Amino acid sequence: MDIVIDGLSKSYGNQKAVDNISFEVRTGEIVGFLGPNGAGKTTTMRMITQYLSPDSGQITIGGKSTTRNNLRGNIGYLPEHNPLYDDMPVIEYLAFCGQLQGIARGNLDQRIREMVVMCGLNDEKHKKIGELSKGYRQRVGLAQAMIHDPAILILDEPTTGLDPNQRVEIRDLIKKLGVHKSVILCTHILPEVEATCDRILIINKGKIVANGTPEALRSHTSGKSFILVDIEGAPREVITQAIKSLPGVSSVGLSADHRLLEVECADGNQTARAIYKLCVGKEWMLLQLSPVEVRLEDIFRNVTMN
Amino acid sequence: MRESWIIAKKELNSFFDSLVAYILLVAFLGFSGFFTWLWGNDIFFHKQASLDIFFNVALWSLFFFIPAITMRQFAEEKKTGTIELLLTKKLSNHQLVIGKFLACLLLVAIALAFTIPYYVSVARLGNIDHGSTITGYLGLILMSSMYIAIGLLASSLTNNQIVAFLMALLIGVVFQFIFGSLGSSQSGWLGSILTDLSVPTHYESMSRGVIDTKDVLYFLSITFLGLMLTELNISKRS
């Protein structure tokens, strides 16, 4: 089910939390929704889930507007901080959520069993939620979001509190589900976004500042490439000067550990070829020549800091 | 309605899971039983087979107990954030409020059901007026509905349970005493309006066996108003 968001705005008093944003999420797509704290992520999620109503703009889910229809049944939502009823046993809680989402009595037990297996809750299923560790609480939150097999999954920081193994499991699960569903994943863990998401949306101060695949964002936002080079056969200053004089190279510096040269250039491939030819011509030993990918952190900092 | 019933069942379960229900039942039955049968101006003192004494005591016990059961309904959901969980499911604000209301009313009804042995006992002792007993119970239910609606409204205004309790009690005091005493000290139309707004005016005639549409409408309209304002508050998502 597609989500289309058009010109969405929401203010709290004088403060604009979300400022005229538009984007789409299509079926079978996992979109990573990033942004600094207070950027408007949660407010946007709350408007999509119809918890808050927008001041202006349209949200269309599967062709229907959220202003006139209650479309919450199509959405599975894991809110920020994962609120749960601590005094309810896990199974009872899942049954409660399933009933509220309109699962027929006959299917309910089956769905609960599936969720318990899918989210790895089997050992803890009879405990009260208040007795569970943070990781298990998170799993219960995920299970309640998915119990009615919604076409849309909106997960606000789904892997906080999980250990690395659990993170990988949940990530794989999201990927698997993302094949048939529209998934919006809100998180601060950038490697997770890279590993899971098809597309990245970055929001800052209520506005969308980046929207595209990780690769597209890299080339678009940086416009520069970095190459790490290790050359033997001449003093470092001589080599630095020689590389600096190559066309397209804007600067040559030292890498973080001071062992390698870091070359900043406009086109990585072209400069790499030029460096190779330079070494051949001067009979220097080329020990290492590796392109550096712009990290997502850098893109994130780049678009949200100014 | 199905959604409201799911909420009501869950709330009722949590009353019994968290001991609230047991404490309320024991306290209500202990309190009303003690004053009805054992102490002071009790039922034997009247030399008449009637539950008037019980209805009077029940009115006062419920007046204090109802804010205690309604105080957590929305305040806690707001504090822990579970309200977001509920209202992003296939559940409207309206259904949520009705569900919570039903749960509280059912708990009060269960408490009142435990007093049916009082009725049976008095009926065996003498010639009880069945009509006025039934209208008395009806009056208690209607009055409880009204105070539950007020309690839910108070709970929807804050995320602090104590504040919700005190606020509900305060509004209750206005309906229970202030309107009545102001009404009797004023003359003319203002006095009669204030007297009409007072709970004892309407409750007493019902516990005497008179069903007046005016009384029923009074309780129902305040209940309705309270629930409507609660829903409005919830929809504001403050």
Side-chain angles (χ1 to χ4, degrees):
Chain A
M1 207 171 255
D2 293 359
I3 309 170
V4 182
I5 285 159
D6 186 26
L8 201 64
S9 295
K10 176 87 189 170
S11 303
Y12 297 114
N14 287 330
Q15 199 189 0
K16 273 216 155 170
V18 172
D19 188 2
N20 193 23
I21 64 168
S22 304
F23 62 88
E24 277 179 43
V25 182
R26 278 177 289 278
T27 308
E29 197 177 31
I30 304 176
V31 171
F33 201 51
L34 307 179
N37 289 324
K41 292 188 304 270
T42 300
T43 305
T44 310
M45 302 291 103
R46 284 179 172 171
M47 285 192 278
I48 300 174
T49 53
Q50 294 185 279
Y51 179 68
L52 293 177
S53 46
D55 293 342
S56 64
Q58 275 279 340
I59 302 171
T60 323
I61 293 175
K64 285 185 188 156
S65 163
T66 55
T67 37
R68 261 159 286 142
N69 308 286
N70 184 342
L71 303 169
R72 291 167 178 160
N74 300 310
I75 300 174
Y77 179 42
L78 172 68
E80 197 187 14
H81 309 312
N82 188 20
L84 295 165
Y85 293 107
D86 285 349
D87 52 356
M88 274 180 116
V90 173
I91 296 282
E92 207 176 288
Y93 175 67
L94 291 179
F96 171 66
C97 291
Q99 284 176 334
L100 274 185
Q101 292 288 24
I103 298 178
R105 199 168 283 267
N107 291 335
L108 192 60
D109 286 347
Q110 173 67 19
R111 279 305 293 171
I112 293 171
R113 265 197 294 274
E114 281 172 29
M115 284 303 114
V116 165
V117 174
M118 201 186 250
C119 299
L121 285 165
N122 204 26
D123 299 339
E124 311 279 323
K125 65 184 172 197
H126 295 300
K127 279 193 184 168
K128 282 193 173 181
I129 292 172
E131 296 165 6
L132 299 181
S133 68
K134 198 169 178 202
Y136 275 104
R137 288 173 66 92
Q138 202 67 21
R139 290 167 186 231
V140 175
L142 274 170
Q144 67 78 21
M146 299 189 294
I147 192 152
H148 57 304
D149 196 19
I152 293 167
L153 262 183
I154 296 179
L155 308 173
D156 207 342
E157 311 205 355
T159 58
T160 36
L162 300 183
D163 65 42
N165 295 335
Q166 294 170 332
R167 270 189 198 175
V168 173
E169 277 172 40
I170 295 298
R171 224 181 271 169
D172 290 344
L173 177 66
I174 294 171
K175 267 184 153 173
K176 207 167 76 190
L177 292 167
V179 178
H180 305 290
K181 298 182 193 299
S182 313
V183 182
I184 300 180
L185 184 68
C186 243
T187 176
H188 284 299
I189 307 160
L190 296 169
E192 185 168 285
V193 176
E194 266 197 302
T196 337
C197 300
D198 305 310
R199 195 149 57 85
I200 295 174
L201 277 170
I202 304 180
I203 183 170
N204 188 34
K205 293 179 185 154
K207 285 185 175 9
I208 288 185
V209 288
N211 180 3
T213 60
E215 297 74 39
L217 287 189
R218 278 200 182 91
S219 58
H220 178 73
T221 48
S222 67
K224 281 179 188 149
S225 304
F226 291 89
I227 306 173
L228 287 177
V229 185
D230 191 6
I231 297 172
E232 255 180 27
R236 185 168 269 173
E237 296 75 42
V238 178
I239 298 171
T240 308
Q241 274 309 319
I243 297 176
K244 256 188 190 162
S245 59
L246 292 173
V249 174
S250 46
S251 77
V252 181
L254 282 177
S255 66
D257 59 358
H258 291 269
R259 280 178 45 242
L260 306 171
L261 292 174
E262 197 175 64
V263 180
E264 187 187 336
C265 53
D267 183 345
N269 285 341
Q270 215 174 358
T271 307
R273 280 187 208 106
I275 291 173
Y276 172 74
K277 280 183 188 153
L278 177 77
C279 292
V280 172
K282 303 251 187 192
E283 293 192 346
W284 291 342
M285 298 296 165
L286 182 57
L287 300 180
Q288 187 177 339
L289 183 69
S290 45
V292 183
E293 281 205 321
V294 182
R295 289 171 309 158
L296 207 51
E297 268 100 13
D298 296 330
I299 300 176
F300 183 83
R301 284 179 63 83
N302 197 1
V303 296
T304 57
M305 290 292 275
N306 29 15
Chain B
M1 197 59 210
R2 178 178 172 270
E3 282 80 4
S4 299
W5 181 236
I6 295 166
I7 295 286
K9 259 194 320 196
K10 188 233 148 209
E11 288 304 330
L12 209 54
N13 275 337
S14 89
F15 281 140
F16 282 94
D17 282 346
S18 64
L19 293 180
V20 171
Y22 300 103
I23 294 170
L24 176 92
L25 289 176
V26 168
F28 174 72
L29 293 173
F31 202 67
S32 64
F34 182 70
F35 286 103
T36 307
W37 298 99
L38 297 174
W39 197 77
N41 194 7
D42 66 24
I43 214 156
F44 303 110
F45 192 80
H46 272 240
K47 297 185 172 137
Q48 211 177 23
S50 124
L51 278 175
D52 278 358
I53 291 291
F54 162 70
F55 288 134
N56 207 16
V57 179
L59 168 75
W60 287 104
S61 354
L62 288 174
F63 176 74
F64 285 103
F65 290 142
I66 286 173
I69 58 175
T70 55
M71 65 178 188
R72 64 179 276 277
Q73 294 305 319
F74 291 104
E76 199 184 51
E77 304 262 14
K78 279 162 69 162
K79 191 166 191 166
T80 57
T82 42
I83 188 115
E84 186 175 356
L85 204 73
L86 290 177
L87 292 176
T88 50
K89 303 231 179 311
K90 238 159 101 180
L91 175 77
S92 62
N93 302 337
H94 180 71
Q95 290 165 331
L96 177 63
V97 173
I98 296 292
K100 299 254 182 198
F101 172 76
L102 270 179
C104 297
L105 190 61
L106 274 172
L107 185 59
V108 171
I110 291 169
L112 290 178
F114 277 110
T115 65
I116 289 175
Y118 298 2
Y119 172 44
V120 176
S121 311
V122 175
R124 285 181 153 245
L125 289 173
N127 202 4
I128 196 170
D129 180 352
H130 297 288
S132 75
T133 311
I134 291 168
T135 55
Y137 272 108
L138 186 69
L140 277 181
I141 293 276
L142 283 172
M143 184 213 65
S144 301
S145 304
M146 173 185 145
Y147 280 133
I148 289 168
I150 288 171
L152 290 179
L153 174 63
S155 183
S156 76
L157 286 166
T158 170
N159 52 18
N160 184 324
Q161 296 191 35
I162 306 296
V163 173
F165 176 79
L166 293 175
M167 218 179 336
L169 211 54
L170 200 71
I171 304 174
V173 165
V174 170
F175 278 99
Q176 198 77 24
F177 304 102
I178 312 272
F179 281 144
S181 52
L182 278 181
S184 57
S185 67
Q186 302 278 330
S187 55
W189 59 271
L190 185 64
S192 79
I193 286 180
L194 287 170
T195 313
D196 276 347
L197 280 171
S198 145
V199 166
T201 315
H202 300 278
Y203 177 71
E204 273 158 24
S205 69
M206 287 200 88
S207 66
R208 263 188 268 112
V210 184
I211 299 188
D212 191 337
T213 354
K214 203 175 80 178
D215 302 328
V216 177
L217 269 179
Y218 166 81
F219 288 120
L220 288 184
S221 51
I222 294 179
T223 306
F224 183 73
L225 189 73
L227 293 180
M228 217 171 61
L229 289 175
T230 308
E231 196 190 327
L232 195 74
N233 249 321
I234 296 301
S235 68
K236 277 200 291 194
R237 311 271 196 261
S238 50

